[in-house]
Amino acid sequence: NCNEADASDKLMTAIKQSNPTLVATILQEHPRLVDVAEDNDGVTPLLAATLVGDEAMVTQLLNRSPQPQVDRCAHQVFALVKKGNDGK
């Protein structure tokens, strides 16, 4: 529904801005979003908090026992690859 979609966008923005108070408020009103929210790239709330490097936010989300429900076929797969000493 529109309300949940709007809340999903707000949740992802709050996570990327490291705003734990707003994240808690949104998840209090829409607890299901910890499982179903995603941005345009298929990034879930937990992954977004991890990518931002916000340990407290990651813990806050893990305490909600997320079970992400992302359609992996609808999004491109990406990987973080560490370059070797030779730059390759």
Side-chain angles (χ1 to χ4, degrees):
N1 72 39
C2 274
N3 192 27
E4 190 172 84
D6 185 48
S8 178
D9 291 341
K10 288 180 181 177
L11 174 64
M12 297 304 288
T13 298
I15 290 169
K16 291 172 184 174
Q17 294 175 346
S18 295
N19 187 336
T21 304
L22 184 55
V23 169
T25 300
I26 293 168
L27 291 176
Q28 184 70 27
E29 295 173 10
H30 303 278
R32 185 175 109 86
L33 290 181
V34 77
D35 297 328
V36 299
E38 61 182 81
D39 68 8
N40 292 334
D41 296 320
V43 174
T44 64
L46 183 57
L47 181 55
T50 302
L51 292 173
V52 171
D54 189 333
E55 185 177 343
M57 185 74 66
V58 169
T59 300
Q60 179 181 356
L61 293 168
L62 283 174
N63 286 338
R64 292 183 167 271
S65 301
Q67 300 294 315
Q69 299 173 17
V70 176
D71 180 1
R72 300 287 181 215
C73 295
H75 302 287
Q76 292 182 335
V77 177
F78 67 92
L80 300 176
V81 179
K82 181 179 177 184
K83 290 185 178 181
N85 290 338
D86 60 359
K88 296 181 182 178

